[in-house]
Amino acid sequence: VLPRQLGATGQSLLAMVFLGLAGMTGATVGGWLNDNYGGSSMYYFAAVVSLIGGLGFLAAEYAARMKKPARA
């Protein structure tokens, strides 16, 4: 999307925007969970979401390996 000479700038902007949004969303949801259900529920939720994300990455890797043709 960007010219080659602006690649690093574009990547930096992308990281700032999405990491900023992730931080704000995580802080908001984590704070809400902490206020309403306590600190342990916040960490339990984070563990469950991390487990689901990890399983999703494993499933994606498995699917990608199944698509590759076998080498003879």
Side-chain angles (χ1 to χ4, degrees):
V1 176
L2 292 174
R4 186 175 283 269
Q5 65 269 22
L6 294 176
T9 303
Q11 184 151 1
S12 296
L13 286 171
L14 179 73
M16 284 187 286
V17 168
F18 284 106
L19 291 177
L21 288 175
M24 287 187 288
T25 304
T28 301
V29 173
W32 181 82
L33 281 170
N34 192 17
D35 286 345
N36 291 310
Y37 299 105
S40 62
S41 68
M42 180 181 59
Y43 290 110
Y44 179 75
F45 179 75
V48 169
V49 170
S50 297
L51 179 64
I52 291 169
L55 291 174
F57 280 117
L58 286 174
E61 178 67 21
Y62 179 76
R65 288 182 185 216
M66 289 291 115
K67 279 187 174 181
K68 289 183 182 177
R71 294 183 185 186

